[in-house]
Amino acid sequence: MSEKFDELVKIMEILRSEKGCPWDRVQTHDTLKRYLLEEAYELIEAIENKDSKAMKEELGDLLLQIVFHSEIAKQNSNFDINDVIQTIIQKMIRRHPHVFAEADFKTPEEVLAQWDERKKEEGKLHESILDGIPLALPALLRAYKIQSRVSKVGFDWDNAQGVVEKIKEEVKEVEEAIACQEKNRIEEEIGDLLFSIVNLARFLKIDPEAALRKTNRKFEKRFKKLEKIAKQKGKNLKDMTLQEMDSLWNEIKKTT
């Protein structure tokens, strides 16, 4: 395994060399950000599809991004792939004292509680418990992490019904904002509503990102079937009334 990994690192060194690939040579940490995100999401899709073959490929693509960034850093005299590996080895040992030292944690909750303590020791958490949550995270995931952090100090709902009532309150405020036709206020109230819905998902131990992805896929599947049925009937969706499409949609919902 080490030989294969070393071969991958060597390939990237060649690609970034003067005799290498013109595209690879000009890349920077910034220009590669979009590819890093794309590869991560493609891996998530493969996982959700339970596609082992695709997972293998996407894990490789993601690994390539790590090697790529490490090679750029090496050429900039910052660090190399060995430093990256050594850093994560040290971190994993440090953050698992119940495995590699004498600490005794029996439950996942106990492990997570001490995880934040280790982050404080590492300087990852400073004055606020919200420090260290990346601004670049997708808004849905960042909302989830913010809510999870504050819940650890007791800033949380007593039960799910309380969150449901908050959602109802936010819906009313959205309706009021729409009635006033104030775009900035509408945007703010919709943001509050989304934040509350994420809170309900978190409280019920549902991953809101995963839930929304499932709904997206379900909608896509149903809409493609709607397009197919319309085509079979010799119709174009643009020429159909909303009532006609809605009628077909309700039939499709019964079977998907």
Side-chain angles (χ1 to χ4, degrees), residues 12 48 174 194:
M12 182 51 64
E48 292 182 342
V174 169
L194 289 170

Side-chain angles (χ1 to χ4, degrees), residues 107-156:
T107 67
E109 290 74 22
E110 289 177 333
V111 172
L112 288 176
Q114 69 85 31
W115 194 270
D116 284 342
E117 291 303 315
R118 292 290 179 272
K119 284 187 176 181
K120 288 180 183 178
E121 294 172 4
E122 295 166 6
K124 295 289 181 67
L125 302 179
H126 304 287
E127 295 182 0
S128 171
I129 61 168
L130 296 179
D131 288 341
I133 302 177
L135 290 171
L137 284 177
L140 203 63
L141 177 56
R142 194 161 192 272
Y144 188 93
K145 285 187 172 291
I146 288 171
Q147 295 162 4
S148 296
R149 288 276 185 92
V150 300
S151 72
K152 292 178 182 179
V153 296
F155 195 78
D156 205 354

Side-chain angles (χ1 to χ4, degrees), residues 9 20 67 87 145 157 185 234 244:
V9 173
V67 172
T87 298
K145 285 187 172 291
W157 299 91
R185 185 182 169 192
E244 288 176 314

Side-chain angles (χ1 to χ4, degrees), residues 12-240:
M12 182 51 64
E13 289 177 353
I14 294 171
L15 291 173
R16 289 279 298 179
S17 69
E18 291 184 2
K19 296 181 180 180
C21 171
W23 186 87
D24 289 284
R25 285 204 309 268
V26 299
Q27 298 310 306
T28 66
H29 292 306
D30 282 327
T31 62
L32 289 175
K33 287 187 296 187
R34 56 169 289 193
Y35 302 106
L36 184 62
L37 282 173
E38 286 174 6
E39 300 302 352
Y41 281 117
E42 286 175 5
L43 174 57
I44 290 172
E45 183 176 351
I47 292 171
E48 292 182 342
N49 290 337
K50 296 180 173 56
D51 188 337
S52 297
K53 183 178 179 181
M55 278 182 61
K56 179 177 66 175
E57 180 178 350
E58 300 305 339
L59 280 166
D61 290 343
L62 191 55
L63 177 59
L64 177 64
Q65 289 299 311
I66 295 169
V67 172
F68 207 150
H69 279 280
S70 298
E71 180 60 25
I72 292 173
K74 178 184 175 183
Q75 292 178 341
N76 292 336
S77 300
N78 292 327
F79 57 83
D80 63 19
I81 189 64
N82 291 314
D83 297 320
V84 172
I85 295 171
Q86 183 60 31
T87 298
I88 190 59
I89 287 173
Q90 292 172 344
K91 181 188 289 186
M92 295 306 289
I93 292 174
R94 186 171 60 249
R95 291 191 179 179
H96 292 81
H98 51 298
V99 177
F100 300 106
E102 300 302 321
D104 185 20
F105 304 123
K106 300 296 186 184
T107 67
E109 290 74 22
E110 289 177 333
V111 172
L112 288 176
Q114 69 85 31
W115 194 270
D116 284 342
E117 291 303 315
R118 292 290 179 272
K119 284 187 176 181
K120 288 180 183 178
E121 294 172 4
E122 295 166 6
K124 295 289 181 67
L125 302 179
H126 304 287
E127 295 182 0
S128 171
I129 61 168
L130 296 179
D131 288 341
I133 302 177
L135 290 171
L137 284 177
L140 203 63
L141 177 56
R142 194 161 192 272
Y144 188 93
K145 285 187 172 291
I146 288 171
Q147 295 162 4
S148 296
R149 288 276 185 92
V150 300
S151 72
K152 292 178 182 179
V153 296
F155 195 78
D156 205 354
W157 299 91
D158 293 327
N159 52 61
Q161 188 56 38
V163 197
V164 171
E165 293 303 320
K166 181 63 176 176
I167 290 173
K168 292 178 181 178
E169 176 186 322
E170 297 297 351
V171 169
K172 287 182 180 179
E173 292 180 3
V174 169
E175 292 173 339
E176 291 170 1
I178 292 173
C180 294
Q181 296 185 338
E182 298 177 13
K183 188 172 182 180
N184 289 339
R185 185 182 169 192
I186 292 171
E187 180 184 51
E188 181 180 348
E189 297 302 344
I190 287 178
D192 290 346
L193 176 58
L194 289 170
F195 193 83
S196 295
I197 292 172
V198 171
N199 220 350
L200 178 61
R202 177 197 59 81
F203 196 91
L204 297 174
K205 299 186 179 351
I206 298 295
D207 180 348
E209 186 75 26
L212 185 55
R213 282 199 299 269
K214 287 180 182 178
T215 295
N216 286 342
R217 290 199 301 272
K218 180 172 64 177
F219 182 89
E220 287 176 325
K221 182 178 179 181
R222 289 175 176 175
F223 193 83
K224 287 177 180 178
K225 192 166 185 179
L226 176 65
E227 291 175 314
K228 184 177 180 180
I229 293 174
K231 187 175 181 180
Q232 290 172 345
K233 293 178 177 289
K235 295 183 177 182
N236 189 312
L237 290 182
K238 291 181 179 180
D239 300 325
M240 295 175 65

